[in-house]
Amino acid sequence: MVGHVAVGGGLNGTTVSPVVVQSMTNTDTADAQATIAQVYQLWQAGSEVVRITVNSPEAAAQVGTIRKGLDALGCPVPLVGDFHYNGHKLLQAYPECAQALAKYRINPGNVGKGSKRDEQFAAMIEAAIQYQKAVRIGVNWGSLDQAKMAQMMDDNGKSANPLSADALMREALIQSALESAQQAVDLGLSPNQIIISCKVSNVQDLVLVYQELGNRCDYPLHLGLTEAGMGSKGVVASTAALAILLQQGIGDTIRVSLTPEPTESRTKEVVVAQEILQTMGIRSFTPLVTACPGCGRTTSTYFQELALQIQTWLRNQMPVWRSQYPGVETLNVAVMGCVVNGPGESKLANIGISLPGTGEVPVAPVFVDGEKTVTLKGDHIAEEFQQIVDEYVRTHYAEGGKLHAAKPGVIPILAI
């Protein structure tokens, strides 16, 4: 079973290659400046790999410009080219595109039909070999190879123990991925350059597919619930599916395929992916805030406003803190709303504040590494607490100071 756990120790305490967070742009790749801007934004949010659509000559012609533009901004994030239908032509006609990408995503279901399928698939693999690029064999249940599916249905109908329709679909996904990977190896691509994904939009089907894949191959696996949806539905569905698999040690890269709401940033999918890994204790990306949900003892919204303010501020600091203060991503801050659990939770965090609940004395004790250090009062509690957090970061995570995280791992090419 494939299982790459995280930097700093995984669920079983081991330390190997980190589970990598991927994202994807929704800009027209032919618009180089818009794509550069969004890739940079995703990278700033913490995406370690970004996939871009390469669906036309106009898009392919701009990939080299996009790579150079990102390099000029000091953004080294690897780019994955998402090819469908005409990838064999684009990789041949635009060598700068083929060179600029770190990996090619190939969907066996739409690389070509009939006799052309093998020829066009081979052309893409040959480009990967020529330019020494990784390949993701990315099967999707919405675009399964129809010829293969039809043959499997015929064979299944003749079987003494036929599979159910759902089981047959899962088996078709797995066979398509593994057979295509073997075909790529037979063409000369190293197995170390191949990663596999089999995406569906149903949680239970995804879990069953990847459990079987983990048992049947040693290729690294890219996890993602395709078309997860919008808002809380997309977040919950993705978390449910990925958490089960990650808990079992399955998965090397993940992407959370959220549909952004009209005014929502594309970076939310990165934040959700990071928080899945961080809340499971697999990797740390940014300091997290522990906050109580509120109840009848906390009719004021002050602690909610402070928790949101602190969490937003911490995440916004990370592009700078990440390089200046190694280990700061493991910082734990507690913002509690009353005397019942407030002091206890605050003592368990690196820094915690227990705000007054309804009817409590209007003071807010602050705890640093379990010890009460100061009591804040008045109209500027938020600003003063933020200063305490900032001072803690500067004194505890500066070069030569107290580090709370293991040394970062190296993302191998197979995880790009």
Side-chain angles (χ1 to χ4, degrees):
M1 180 177 291
V2 174
H4 285 229
V5 291
V7 169
L11 297 169
N12 60 2
T14 59
T15 303
V16 291
S17 300
V19 179
V20 175
V21 173
Q22 292 198 28
S23 62
M24 186 174 184
T25 59
N26 63 354
T27 56
D28 181 354
T29 307
D31 186 341
Q33 293 309 309
T35 303
I36 290 169
Q38 191 173 86
V39 171
Y40 187 82
Q41 184 183 37
L42 291 165
W43 175 70
Q44 283 284 81
S47 182
E48 295 161 302
V49 181
V50 178
R51 184 156 52 113
I52 61 176
T53 299
V54 187
N55 61 335
S56 66
E58 292 77 15
Q62 293 301 317
V63 172
T65 299
I66 292 166
R67 179 71 272 167
K68 291 174 184 176
L70 291 168
D71 291 342
L73 292 172
C75 175
V77 68
L79 297 177
V80 178
D82 196 45
F83 292 100
H84 297 277
Y85 309 110
N86 59 355
H88 59 292
K89 293 180 179 179
L90 297 178
L91 287 170
Q92 183 176 20
Y94 296 90
E96 189 176 10
C97 168
Q99 182 62 54
L101 295 168
K103 180 170 65 177
Y104 310 151
R105 188 273 177 123
I106 304 174
N107 184 338
N110 57 31
V111 74
K113 294 182 179 181
S115 61
K116 292 185 177 180
R117 189 269 182 199
D118 289 347
E119 177 186 339
Q120 292 171 185
F121 180 84
M124 298 186 73
I125 297 302
E126 288 164 4
I129 295 170
Q130 177 183 352
Y131 294 103
Q132 298 183 343
K133 303 299 180 180
V135 168
R136 169 150 71 96
I137 304 296
V139 186
N140 190 298
W141 75 342
S143 53
L144 273 170
D145 185 326
Q146 293 304 302
K148 179 173 185 57
M149 192 65 191
Q151 182 61 53
M152 290 185 66
M153 290 175 67
D154 287 343
D155 294 342
N156 190 59
K158 300 172 185 176
S159 172
N161 297 294
L163 298 173
S164 68
D166 287 345
L168 183 64
M169 180 275 296
R170 294 194 295 267
E171 180 62 20
L173 283 165
I174 293 167
Q175 286 192 23
S176 178
L178 295 181
E179 290 172 3
S180 295
Q182 185 58 52
Q183 185 179 2
V185 172
D186 292 343
L187 288 165
L189 188 68
S190 168
N192 292 330
Q193 292 173 266
I194 298 172
I195 187 168
I196 285 176
S197 68
C198 288
K199 290 192 174 183
V200 300
S201 57
N202 178 281
V203 171
Q204 296 297 345
D205 283 323
L206 191 83
V207 171
L208 291 171
V209 165
Y210 275 90
Q211 287 174 336
E212 187 64 20
L213 269 175
N215 287 327
R216 286 164 63 172
C217 77
D218 293 323
Y219 293 112
L221 302 178
H222 171 79
L223 306 184
L225 191 73
T226 192
E227 289 93 35
M230 182 180 288
S232 61
K233 185 270 180 182
V235 173
V236 171
S238 293
T239 303
L242 271 57
I244 292 170
L245 293 166
L246 291 167
Q247 185 76 20
Q248 296 174 7
I250 299 171
D252 299 84
T253 70
I254 66 171
R255 185 205 169 195
V256 176
S257 301
L258 297 180
T259 303
E261 295 178 11
T263 60
E264 198 169 51
S265 171
R266 187 72 172 174
T267 60
K268 183 174 181 179
E269 68 175 63
V270 178
V271 173
V272 173
Q274 289 179 331
E275 290 181 350
I276 290 171
L277 294 173
Q278 187 153 353
T279 55
M280 292 184 68
I282 295 176
R283 287 187 69 183
S284 293
F285 296 92
T286 189
L288 295 181
V289 173
T290 299
C292 67
C295 66
R297 292 184 295 269
T298 57
T299 54
S300 169
T301 61
Y302 186 72
F303 82 94
Q304 299 165 326
E305 294 163 359
L306 179 58
L308 177 60
Q309 179 179 332
I310 292 297
Q311 180 71 76
T312 302
W313 175 72
L314 289 169
R315 183 166 285 280
N316 289 341
Q317 302 310 304
M318 282 309 294
V320 175
W321 282 359
R322 190 175 291 115
S323 59
Q324 292 185 355
Y325 304 113
V328 70
E329 63 275 5
T330 64
L331 176 69
N332 189 9
V333 178
V335 179
M336 304 303 295
C338 79
V339 73
V340 175
N341 293 315
E345 288 279 4
S346 296
K347 290 178 182 178
L348 292 172
N350 297 116
I351 310 171
I353 186 170
S354 181
L355 296 164
T358 304
E360 293 178 10
V361 178
V363 296
V366 175
F367 299 83
V368 177
D369 289 331
E371 300 294 329
K372 181 179 175 181
T373 59
V374 67
T375 299
L376 303 181
K377 306 176 183 178
D379 298 328
H380 302 288
I381 289 177
E383 291 80 1
E384 292 172 6
F385 182 65
Q386 189 166 300
Q387 290 174 4
I388 293 170
V389 175
D390 190 53
E391 177 65 18
Y392 187 94
V393 170
R394 289 191 293 106
T395 57
H396 286 70
Y397 297 95
E399 190 66 32
K402 176 182 175 184
L403 300 183
H404 294 269
K407 294 180 180 180
V410 176
I411 298 175
I413 187 170
L414 57 80
I416 291 175

